[in-house]
Each structure stands twice: as structure tokens, then as C-alpha cells.
Amino acid sequence: MSAGSVKRRGTGVLVSLLALAMVLVSGCGGGSTDEPGGVDISSGDRHLDLVAYAVPKIGFDEIIPAFRATPEGEGVGFSASYGASGDQSRKVARRVPADVVNFSVEPDITRLVKAGLVDEDWKEQAPNNSTPFGSVVALVVRKGNPKNIRDWDDLLKPGVQVVTPNPGSSGSAKWNLLAPFSAVSDGGRNLQAGLDYVAELIRDHVKVVPKSGREATTAFEQGQGDVLISYENEAIMLDKANAGKNPNNQVEYVIPPQTFKIENPVAVVNTTKDLPAARSFVDFLFTPEAQRIWAATGFRPVDPVVIEETRDLFPGDIAKLWTIAEIGKILGEGTAEENDGKDLTGWKAVDEVLFGKKGAITKIYDSGGKQ
């Protein structure tokens, strides 16, 4: 499914939602204090620090002014920091000021739970396991798809160069690799097949390894690589940003038949000096108003009504959408003896087997694609 197809089927809905987003932010102040030509988000007699991974900046740029226009957000100023998810998490663990965090993967919040900065029950403090939006893993290609990239095996064609960030610093890199790993290994049931694929991909096809998903997008925009593994929302953003440029700089994207559901959690930092404002902001992220803004900026909403409203914005024939719960259960099977009588599940299992310090994919990266 190309980005062109996305635009043909979803243009009407997208225009309406973007118009809504513009109405919401209008009247929220001019004379940016954060970036040239932007909207003022920092003024107010109360203040919140948002620390997030790089990719959702485009969404928060609309969400924050919309929140400030509500009774709960009146007078709440924001400072926002964006970067590679793992790096951002480690900064907060080192006590960089933060009131609300939004990271690419759950383990980056778990790090803050261990540091005593986020409550253990954080997933119960907001709907949908405190995950206000998400995406799926997509393949961004040059306009016309000259390498004929349709599925994961196509990335291993001779001469195809792939851009994807480093899983040591970037949460998006983990999602990017989990998609083909799951497709090739049947969710981890054939572990070696999945690892063989990842090893060949890293060794022979990944020549650029940026720190974050946003840096990977920038590298691809600058002409590096034939394929960018990325979030669907990054693909949508990149397509729109380059639509009026030279055809050589235009892109489209493909949703593989098997891909991975991306879930990006949010949490309140318990050292915040304004807990009511922090909780109100997190609650706002799940409102229909905010959910429509997420959809308008390319992120898949989680509210069932808004999902149905915006379905045409996210087309694609996904035969199998793997989830972290599903693959974690498979990879964690039989680990009870070493883990207090209970098998590891979810991200704990995935990191133990694949991405932890001794994880198989970590070793593949450290060795340059060797096993």
C-alpha cells in the first residue's frame, strides 16, 4: 500500500482533522518562546516538563496548545525535550527535570520505576495501559518504489541499503527489528530463523545506524539508503513533507503483510511539583479531542470511536499484526525456573532474549552482524 493510496482514500478525513487541529491551537498565543514561527507553550503561572522520544514531537506540537486551551490546562506552561527514547529515559533517571514522560518502549519507563521516579502501578493510572497512541512498522521507499520493496525478504536483495536506528539508544529500532524477526520466526517459535534474518540485515544491508527514529528519517531524507524501516506515522509525515519537492526526493511507503503493533506509553514522574497538572495533561491525551489530533498527525488512536472515525487514514492489508504481549509470551516460555517460578512475559522476556546486555540481537549489533 503506497502513501499515494493513503492520500486518495483518507484525504477528506485528514483535511477535516487537520482543520480541527488548527482551530484548537488558534488563539493559544503567538510569538513562540520555543521555536521560530511556533506557538507559545511556555508562558503560565504553572509549569510542566515533558520529556519524550523524538518521533511524537509533531503530535505534541498540536496537543500541548490544545490542552492549554482547556480549563484544566489554563495557565500551564510547558518545556518539551525530545530525543532517542533510551537516552531520554537515562537522562530522567539521572534526575533531569521531568513531570511527564512519553517513551517508545515500556522498558524505558521501567527504568524510572526502578529509580523510584515513576509509580509501580503507572500502567493502571490511565486507559489502555497508559498508552495514548501507537503505530505500526512500515517500510519507506523512494517514489515509484524502484527496488520493488513489498515485504521483509525484499530487504535482503543484493544491493539494497537499509536505514534503521541503533537499538542501544532508540526504542523505535527495537520495534523496527521486532517486525521482521516476528514474521520470519513465527513470533519467536523459530528463534534461529529470526536471528539469522537480523544478522544478515545488519551485516549486509544496514550501513547507516542513527541514534533515534527521527535521526534515521533525516538521514533517509538526505538521500541515504533505499529503504527506511520506520513508524507508519513517520512515513506519513515524510511523504507529506516531501510531496512538493523534486520527484527524486519524494517517497511512498509499504505496510508489509506481517508487521508489528507499536505501543508508546506515557507516565507521570512522581517527583513532579504539580501533580494535578501532570495528571490532567496525561488524562487529556486520551480524550476524543486529543485522539483526533493524534490521528491527524499520523498516529493511530486508541479510542474505539476515534479509531472507527479515522480508519481511512490508516489503510493497508495487514494479515498478521504481532504484539509485544504475544511475542513476549512465546519468548518467555520455560523461563520460570530462573525467575521465581513465573515465566517472563512482555518486554521483560523480549529484552532478556533479544535486546538486553546479553540479548541475541544486542550481540549481533555489537559484532557487526555476526552470530
Side-chain angles (χ1 to χ4, degrees), residues 51-53 83-96 101-113 115 117 169:
V51 178
Y53 71 108
S85 186
D87 290 349
Q88 292 288 82
S89 173
R90 283 183 281 270
K91 287 178 184 177
V92 176
R94 294 196 299 267
R95 301 307 195 267
V96 165
V101 294
N102 173 220
F103 295 139
S104 178
V105 292
E106 183 179 317
D108 287 336
I109 292 183
T110 302
R111 177 183 290 113
L112 303 187
V113 174
L117 296 172
S169 60

PDB file of all heavy atoms in Angstrom, residues 51-53 83-96 101-113 115 117 169:
ATOM      1  N   VAL A  51       9.277  15.142  28.822  1.00  0.00           N
ATOM      2  CA  VAL A  51      10.455  14.500  28.245  1.00  0.00           C
ATOM      3  C   VAL A  51       9.960  13.308  27.444  1.00  0.00           C
ATOM      4  O   VAL A  51       9.340  12.397  27.992  1.00  0.00           O
ATOM      5  CB  VAL A  51      11.458  14.055  29.329  1.00  0.00           C
ATOM      6  CG1 VAL A  51      12.658  13.355  28.692  1.00  0.00           C
ATOM      7  CG2 VAL A  51      11.923  15.257  30.149  1.00  0.00           C
ATOM      8  N   ALA A  52      10.235  13.325  26.131  1.00  0.00           N
ATOM      9  CA  ALA A  52       9.654  12.324  25.249  1.00  0.00           C
ATOM     10  C   ALA A  52      10.674  11.831  24.239  1.00  0.00           C
ATOM     11  O   ALA A  52      11.728  12.458  24.041  1.00  0.00           O
ATOM     12  CB  ALA A  52       8.434  12.900  24.521  1.00  0.00           C
ATOM     13  N   TYR A  53      10.333  10.719  23.601  1.00  0.00           N
ATOM     14  CA  TYR A  53      11.177  10.266  22.498  1.00  0.00           C
ATOM     15  C   TYR A  53      10.928  11.167  21.288  1.00  0.00           C
ATOM     16  O   TYR A  53       9.988  11.970  21.265  1.00  0.00           O
ATOM     17  CB  TYR A  53      10.958   8.788  22.213  1.00  0.00           C
ATOM     18  CG  TYR A  53       9.647   8.403  21.587  1.00  0.00           C
ATOM     19  CD1 TYR A  53       9.583   7.992  20.255  1.00  0.00           C
ATOM     20  CD2 TYR A  53       8.467   8.411  22.331  1.00  0.00           C
ATOM     21  CE1 TYR A  53       8.380   7.620  19.678  1.00  0.00           C
ATOM     22  CE2 TYR A  53       7.267   8.030  21.760  1.00  0.00           C
ATOM     23  CZ  TYR A  53       7.230   7.641  20.437  1.00  0.00           C
ATOM     24  OH  TYR A  53       6.040   7.282  19.869  1.00  0.00           O
ATOM     25  N   GLY A  83      14.151  13.288  22.065  1.00  0.00           N
ATOM     26  CA  GLY A  83      15.398  12.635  21.679  1.00  0.00           C
ATOM     27  C   GLY A  83      15.205  11.132  21.617  1.00  0.00           C
ATOM     28  O   GLY A  83      14.086  10.618  21.740  1.00  0.00           O
ATOM     29  N   ALA A  84      16.296  10.407  21.437  1.00  0.00           N
ATOM     30  CA  ALA A  84      16.241   8.949  21.414  1.00  0.00           C
ATOM     31  C   ALA A  84      15.656   8.444  22.730  1.00  0.00           C
ATOM     32  O   ALA A  84      16.029   8.901  23.814  1.00  0.00           O
ATOM     33  CB  ALA A  84      17.633   8.378  21.187  1.00  0.00           C
ATOM     34  N   SER A  85      14.738   7.496  22.654  1.00  0.00           N
ATOM     35  CA  SER A  85      13.972   7.077  23.821  1.00  0.00           C
ATOM     36  C   SER A  85      14.854   6.603  24.977  1.00  0.00           C
ATOM     37  O   SER A  85      14.685   7.033  26.119  1.00  0.00           O
ATOM     38  CB  SER A  85      12.994   5.967  23.422  1.00  0.00           C
ATOM     39  OG  SER A  85      12.134   5.636  24.487  1.00  0.00           O
ATOM     40  N   GLY A  86      15.783   5.706  24.682  1.00  0.00           N
ATOM     41  CA  GLY A  86      16.650   5.205  25.744  1.00  0.00           C
ATOM     42  C   GLY A  86      17.490   6.309  26.374  1.00  0.00           C
ATOM     43  O   GLY A  86      17.664   6.356  27.602  1.00  0.00           O
ATOM     44  N   ASP A  87      18.004   7.200  25.553  1.00  0.00           N
ATOM     45  CA  ASP A  87      18.799   8.316  26.070  1.00  0.00           C
ATOM     46  C   ASP A  87      17.955   9.227  26.949  1.00  0.00           C
ATOM     47  O   ASP A  87      18.407   9.693  28.004  1.00  0.00           O
ATOM     48  CB  ASP A  87      19.402   9.118  24.909  1.00  0.00           C
ATOM     49  CG  ASP A  87      20.486   8.360  24.169  1.00  0.00           C
ATOM     50  OD1 ASP A  87      20.927   7.302  24.674  1.00  0.00           O
ATOM     51  OD2 ASP A  87      20.901   8.823  23.080  1.00  0.00           O
ATOM     52  N   GLN A  88      16.732   9.505  26.514  1.00  0.00           N
ATOM     53  CA  GLN A  88      15.843  10.368  27.296  1.00  0.00           C
ATOM     54  C   GLN A  88      15.520   9.730  28.645  1.00  0.00           C
ATOM     55  O   GLN A  88      15.497  10.398  29.681  1.00  0.00           O
ATOM     56  CB  GLN A  88      14.548  10.625  26.515  1.00  0.00           C
ATOM     57  CG  GLN A  88      14.719  11.473  25.257  1.00  0.00           C
ATOM     58  CD  GLN A  88      15.007  12.927  25.567  1.00  0.00           C
ATOM     59  OE1 GLN A  88      16.151  13.299  25.839  1.00  0.00           O
ATOM     60  NE2 GLN A  88      13.980  13.754  25.523  1.00  0.00           N
ATOM     61  N   SER A  89      15.268   8.442  28.640  1.00  0.00           N
ATOM     62  CA  SER A  89      14.971   7.736  29.882  1.00  0.00           C
ATOM     63  C   SER A  89      16.154   7.792  30.851  1.00  0.00           C
ATOM     64  O   SER A  89      15.978   8.037  32.051  1.00  0.00           O
ATOM     65  CB  SER A  89      14.613   6.284  29.565  1.00  0.00           C
ATOM     66  OG  SER A  89      14.478   5.519  30.742  1.00  0.00           O
ATOM     67  N   ARG A  90      17.340   7.576  30.317  1.00  0.00           N
ATOM     68  CA  ARG A  90      18.523   7.614  31.186  1.00  0.00           C
ATOM     69  C   ARG A  90      18.750   9.019  31.760  1.00  0.00           C
ATOM     70  O   ARG A  90      19.197   9.165  32.904  1.00  0.00           O
ATOM     71  CB  ARG A  90      19.741   7.128  30.412  1.00  0.00           C
ATOM     72  CG  ARG A  90      19.798   5.600  30.253  1.00  0.00           C
ATOM     73  CD  ARG A  90      21.059   5.135  29.552  1.00  0.00           C
ATOM     74  NE  ARG A  90      20.959   5.310  28.105  1.00  0.00           N
ATOM     75  CZ  ARG A  90      20.488   4.389  27.277  1.00  0.00           C
ATOM     76  NH1 ARG A  90      20.034   3.227  27.744  1.00  0.00           N
ATOM     77  NH2 ARG A  90      20.451   4.605  25.976  1.00  0.00           N
ATOM     78  N   LYS A  91      18.431  10.039  30.981  1.00  0.00           N
ATOM     79  CA  LYS A  91      18.567  11.413  31.482  1.00  0.00           C
ATOM     80  C   LYS A  91      17.632  11.652  32.666  1.00  0.00           C
ATOM     81  O   LYS A  91      18.034  12.239  33.677  1.00  0.00           O
ATOM     82  CB  LYS A  91      18.258  12.413  30.364  1.00  0.00           C
ATOM     83  CG  LYS A  91      19.328  12.518  29.294  1.00  0.00           C
ATOM     84  CD  LYS A  91      18.895  13.496  28.210  1.00  0.00           C
ATOM     85  CE  LYS A  91      19.908  13.565  27.070  1.00  0.00           C
ATOM     86  NZ  LYS A  91      19.447  14.475  25.990  1.00  0.00           N
ATOM     87  N   VAL A  92      16.392  11.210  32.534  1.00  0.00           N
ATOM     88  CA  VAL A  92      15.443  11.396  33.635  1.00  0.00           C
ATOM     89  C   VAL A  92      15.891  10.593  34.849  1.00  0.00           C
ATOM     90  O   VAL A  92      15.779  11.060  35.992  1.00  0.00           O
ATOM     91  CB  VAL A  92      14.020  10.997  33.197  1.00  0.00           C
ATOM     92  CG1 VAL A  92      13.045  11.104  34.371  1.00  0.00           C
ATOM     93  CG2 VAL A  92      13.543  11.890  32.043  1.00  0.00           C
ATOM     94  N   ALA A  93      16.408   9.392  34.625  1.00  0.00           N
ATOM     95  CA  ALA A  93      16.919   8.586  35.737  1.00  0.00           C
ATOM     96  C   ALA A  93      18.046   9.295  36.461  1.00  0.00           C
ATOM     97  O   ALA A  93      18.243   9.096  37.665  1.00  0.00           O
ATOM     98  CB  ALA A  93      17.379   7.220  35.225  1.00  0.00           C
ATOM     99  N   ARG A  94      18.780  10.138  35.727  1.00  0.00           N
ATOM    100  CA  ARG A  94      19.855  10.928  36.344  1.00  0.00           C
ATOM    101  C   ARG A  94      19.338  12.248  36.914  1.00  0.00           C
ATOM    102  O   ARG A  94      20.101  13.124  37.254  1.00  0.00           O
ATOM    103  CB  ARG A  94      20.953  11.209  35.312  1.00  0.00           C
ATOM    104  CG  ARG A  94      21.690   9.960  34.838  1.00  0.00           C
ATOM    105  CD  ARG A  94      22.987  10.319  34.130  1.00  0.00           C
ATOM    106  NE  ARG A  94      22.771  11.144  32.950  1.00  0.00           N
ATOM    107  CZ  ARG A  94      22.639  10.670  31.711  1.00  0.00           C
ATOM    108  NH1 ARG A  94      22.682   9.349  31.509  1.00  0.00           N
ATOM    109  NH2 ARG A  94      22.453  11.485  30.700  1.00  0.00           N
ATOM    110  N   ARG A  95      17.997  12.362  36.983  1.00  0.00           N
ATOM    111  CA  ARG A  95      17.319  13.498  37.615  1.00  0.00           C
ATOM    112  C   ARG A  95      17.268  14.754  36.747  1.00  0.00           C
ATOM    113  O   ARG A  95      17.192  15.868  37.263  1.00  0.00           O
ATOM    114  CB  ARG A  95      17.934  13.830  38.978  1.00  0.00           C
ATOM    115  CG  ARG A  95      17.905  12.693  40.005  1.00  0.00           C
ATOM    116  CD  ARG A  95      16.481  12.145  40.179  1.00  0.00           C
ATOM    117  NE  ARG A  95      16.332  11.313  41.358  1.00  0.00           N
ATOM    118  CZ  ARG A  95      16.475   9.982  41.375  1.00  0.00           C
ATOM    119  NH1 ARG A  95      16.805   9.352  40.261  1.00  0.00           N
ATOM    120  NH2 ARG A  95      16.288   9.303  42.486  1.00  0.00           N
ATOM    121  N   VAL A  96      17.282  14.615  35.429  1.00  0.00           N
ATOM    122  CA  VAL A  96      16.921  15.735  34.567  1.00  0.00           C
ATOM    123  C   VAL A  96      15.461  16.071  34.856  1.00  0.00           C
ATOM    124  O   VAL A  96      14.634  15.171  34.970  1.00  0.00           O
ATOM    125  CB  VAL A  96      17.120  15.374  33.071  1.00  0.00           C
ATOM    126  CG1 VAL A  96      16.410  16.374  32.169  1.00  0.00           C
ATOM    127  CG2 VAL A  96      18.599  15.329  32.738  1.00  0.00           C
ATOM    128  N   VAL A 101       6.549  11.797  31.134  1.00  0.00           N
ATOM    129  CA  VAL A 101       7.441  11.170  30.157  1.00  0.00           C
ATOM    130  C   VAL A 101       6.617  10.374  29.163  1.00  0.00           C
ATOM    131  O   VAL A 101       5.571   9.816  29.500  1.00  0.00           O
ATOM    132  CB  VAL A 101       8.496  10.258  30.827  1.00  0.00           C
ATOM    133  CG1 VAL A 101       9.455  11.076  31.670  1.00  0.00           C
ATOM    134  CG2 VAL A 101       7.841   9.169  31.673  1.00  0.00           C
ATOM    135  N   ASN A 102       7.096  10.337  27.937  1.00  0.00           N
ATOM    136  CA  ASN A 102       6.487   9.519  26.878  1.00  0.00           C
ATOM    137  C   ASN A 102       7.626   8.874  26.105  1.00  0.00           C
ATOM    138  O   ASN A 102       8.400   9.563  25.449  1.00  0.00           O
ATOM    139  CB  ASN A 102       5.625  10.389  25.961  1.00  0.00           C
ATOM    140  CG  ASN A 102       5.095   9.644  24.755  1.00  0.00           C
ATOM    141  OD1 ASN A 102       5.052  10.184  23.662  1.00  0.00           O
ATOM    142  ND2 ASN A 102       4.690   8.391  24.918  1.00  0.00           N
ATOM    143  N   PHE A 103       7.744   7.549  26.232  1.00  0.00           N
ATOM    144  CA  PHE A 103       8.862   6.854  25.618  1.00  0.00           C
ATOM    145  C   PHE A 103       8.380   5.858  24.573  1.00  0.00           C
ATOM    146  O   PHE A 103       7.205   5.498  24.516  1.00  0.00           O
ATOM    147  CB  PHE A 103       9.693   6.140  26.676  1.00  0.00           C
ATOM    148  CG  PHE A 103      10.366   7.072  27.651  1.00  0.00           C
ATOM    149  CD1 PHE A 103      10.421   6.774  29.005  1.00  0.00           C
ATOM    150  CD2 PHE A 103      10.940   8.254  27.222  1.00  0.00           C
ATOM    151  CE1 PHE A 103      11.039   7.623  29.902  1.00  0.00           C
ATOM    152  CE2 PHE A 103      11.560   9.113  28.107  1.00  0.00           C
ATOM    153  CZ  PHE A 103      11.610   8.804  29.457  1.00  0.00           C
ATOM    154  N   SER A 104       9.309   5.409  23.759  1.00  0.00           N
ATOM    155  CA  SER A 104       8.972   4.499  22.671  1.00  0.00           C
ATOM    156  C   SER A 104       8.627   3.108  23.176  1.00  0.00           C
ATOM    157  O   SER A 104       7.764   2.442  22.609  1.00  0.00           O
ATOM    158  CB  SER A 104      10.138   4.411  21.680  1.00  0.00           C
ATOM    159  OG  SER A 104       9.865   3.523  20.643  1.00  0.00           O
ATOM    160  N   VAL A 105       9.292   2.665  24.245  1.00  0.00           N
ATOM    161  CA  VAL A 105       9.084   1.295  24.731  1.00  0.00           C
ATOM    162  C   VAL A 105       8.920   1.282  26.249  1.00  0.00           C
ATOM    163  O   VAL A 105       9.460   2.135  26.963  1.00  0.00           O
ATOM    164  CB  VAL A 105      10.259   0.377  24.331  1.00  0.00           C
ATOM    165  CG1 VAL A 105      10.298   0.167  22.824  1.00  0.00           C
ATOM    166  CG2 VAL A 105      11.592   0.937  24.817  1.00  0.00           C
ATOM    167  N   GLU A 106       8.201   0.314  26.733  1.00  0.00           N
ATOM    168  CA  GLU A 106       7.923   0.189  28.160  1.00  0.00           C
ATOM    169  C   GLU A 106       9.180   0.096  29.031  1.00  0.00           C
ATOM    170  O   GLU A 106       9.213   0.678  30.129  1.00  0.00           O
ATOM    171  CB  GLU A 106       7.014  -1.016  28.394  1.00  0.00           C
ATOM    172  CG  GLU A 106       6.593  -1.207  29.819  1.00  0.00           C
ATOM    173  CD  GLU A 106       5.675  -2.406  29.994  1.00  0.00           C
ATOM    174  OE1 GLU A 106       4.761  -2.582  29.160  1.00  0.00           O
ATOM    175  OE2 GLU A 106       5.867  -3.163  30.969  1.00  0.00           O
ATOM    176  N   PRO A 107      10.231  -0.632  28.624  1.00  0.00           N
ATOM    177  CA  PRO A 107      11.413  -0.715  29.490  1.00  0.00           C
ATOM    178  C   PRO A 107      12.033   0.635  29.826  1.00  0.00           C
ATOM    179  O   PRO A 107      12.693   0.767  30.873  1.00  0.00           O
ATOM    180  CB  PRO A 107      12.381  -1.578  28.664  1.00  0.00           C
ATOM    181  CG  PRO A 107      11.488  -2.442  27.848  1.00  0.00           C
ATOM    182  CD  PRO A 107      10.334  -1.550  27.467  1.00  0.00           C
ATOM    183  N   ASP A 108      11.830   1.641  28.975  1.00  0.00           N
ATOM    184  CA  ASP A 108      12.376   2.957  29.294  1.00  0.00           C
ATOM    185  C   ASP A 108      11.613   3.625  30.430  1.00  0.00           C
ATOM    186  O   ASP A 108      12.157   4.500  31.117  1.00  0.00           O
ATOM    187  CB  ASP A 108      12.378   3.845  28.044  1.00  0.00           C
ATOM    188  CG  ASP A 108      13.444   3.425  27.054  1.00  0.00           C
ATOM    189  OD1 ASP A 108      14.432   2.798  27.464  1.00  0.00           O
ATOM    190  OD2 ASP A 108      13.294   3.710  25.843  1.00  0.00           O
ATOM    191  N   ILE A 109      10.364   3.230  30.646  1.00  0.00           N
ATOM    192  CA  ILE A 109       9.642   3.689  31.838  1.00  0.00           C
ATOM    193  C   ILE A 109       9.968   2.792  33.026  1.00  0.00           C
ATOM    194  O   ILE A 109      10.101   3.264  34.159  1.00  0.00           O
ATOM    195  CB  ILE A 109       8.126   3.733  31.572  1.00  0.00           C
ATOM    196  CG1 ILE A 109       7.817   4.847  30.554  1.00  0.00           C
ATOM    197  CG2 ILE A 109       7.348   3.967  32.864  1.00  0.00           C
ATOM    198  CD1 ILE A 109       6.363   5.054  30.253  1.00  0.00           C
ATOM    199  N   THR A 110      10.137   1.496  32.771  1.00  0.00           N
ATOM    200  CA  THR A 110      10.511   0.579  33.853  1.00  0.00           C
ATOM    201  C   THR A 110      11.807   1.036  34.526  1.00  0.00           C
ATOM    202  O   THR A 110      11.961   0.906  35.748  1.00  0.00           O
ATOM    203  CB  THR A 110      10.686  -0.846  33.302  1.00  0.00           C
ATOM    204  OG1 THR A 110       9.472  -1.261  32.679  1.00  0.00           O
ATOM    205  CG2 THR A 110      11.033  -1.829  34.410  1.00  0.00           C
ATOM    206  N   ARG A 111      12.732   1.573  33.750  1.00  0.00           N
ATOM    207  CA  ARG A 111      13.977   2.104  34.316  1.00  0.00           C
ATOM    208  C   ARG A 111      13.670   3.165  35.377  1.00  0.00           C
ATOM    209  O   ARG A 111      14.346   3.237  36.415  1.00  0.00           O
ATOM    210  CB  ARG A 111      14.842   2.699  33.209  1.00  0.00           C
ATOM    211  CG  ARG A 111      16.140   3.340  33.710  1.00  0.00           C
ATOM    212  CD  ARG A 111      16.940   3.991  32.595  1.00  0.00           C
ATOM    213  NE  ARG A 111      17.519   2.993  31.701  1.00  0.00           N
ATOM    214  CZ  ARG A 111      17.159   2.821  30.441  1.00  0.00           C
ATOM    215  NH1 ARG A 111      16.209   3.590  29.903  1.00  0.00           N
ATOM    216  NH2 ARG A 111      17.728   1.899  29.697  1.00  0.00           N
ATOM    217  N   LEU A 112      12.654   3.988  35.131  1.00  0.00           N
ATOM    218  CA  LEU A 112      12.310   5.048  36.076  1.00  0.00           C
ATOM    219  C   LEU A 112      11.552   4.504  37.278  1.00  0.00           C
ATOM    220  O   LEU A 112      11.629   5.076  38.370  1.00  0.00           O
ATOM    221  CB  LEU A 112      11.484   6.123  35.372  1.00  0.00           C
ATOM    222  CG  LEU A 112      12.130   6.763  34.138  1.00  0.00           C
ATOM    223  CD1 LEU A 112      11.288   7.925  33.630  1.00  0.00           C
ATOM    224  CD2 LEU A 112      13.551   7.236  34.441  1.00  0.00           C
ATOM    225  N   VAL A 113      10.829   3.403  37.094  1.00  0.00           N
ATOM    226  CA  VAL A 113      10.204   2.735  38.232  1.00  0.00           C
ATOM    227  C   VAL A 113      11.290   2.235  39.177  1.00  0.00           C
ATOM    228  O   VAL A 113      11.222   2.429  40.398  1.00  0.00           O
ATOM    229  CB  VAL A 113       9.309   1.568  37.763  1.00  0.00           C
ATOM    230  CG1 VAL A 113       8.781   0.783  38.968  1.00  0.00           C
ATOM    231  CG2 VAL A 113       8.147   2.088  36.912  1.00  0.00           C
ATOM    232  N   ALA A 115      14.183   3.402  39.500  1.00  0.00           N
ATOM    233  CA  ALA A 115      14.864   4.560  40.092  1.00  0.00           C
ATOM    234  C   ALA A 115      13.979   5.286  41.098  1.00  0.00           C
ATOM    235  O   ALA A 115      14.408   6.266  41.713  1.00  0.00           O
ATOM    236  CB  ALA A 115      15.286   5.531  38.984  1.00  0.00           C
ATOM    237  N   LEU A 117      11.202   6.923  40.442  1.00  0.00           N
ATOM    238  CA  LEU A 117      10.671   8.165  39.877  1.00  0.00           C
ATOM    239  C   LEU A 117       9.288   8.001  39.266  1.00  0.00           C
ATOM    240  O   LEU A 117       8.607   9.001  38.987  1.00  0.00           O
ATOM    241  CB  LEU A 117      11.639   8.705  38.821  1.00  0.00           C
ATOM    242  CG  LEU A 117      13.022   9.115  39.338  1.00  0.00           C
ATOM    243  CD1 LEU A 117      13.954   9.440  38.178  1.00  0.00           C
ATOM    244  CD2 LEU A 117      12.898  10.320  40.264  1.00  0.00           C
ATOM    245  N   SER A 169      20.178   2.781  21.688  1.00  0.00           N
ATOM    246  CA  SER A 169      19.742   4.118  22.099  1.00  0.00           C
ATOM    247  C   SER A 169      18.299   4.399  21.742  1.00  0.00           C
ATOM    248  O   SER A 169      17.657   5.254  22.348  1.00  0.00           O
ATOM    249  CB  SER A 169      20.632   5.184  21.447  1.00  0.00           C
ATOM    250  OG  SER A 169      20.556   5.107  20.026  1.00  0.00           O
TER     251      SER A 169
END
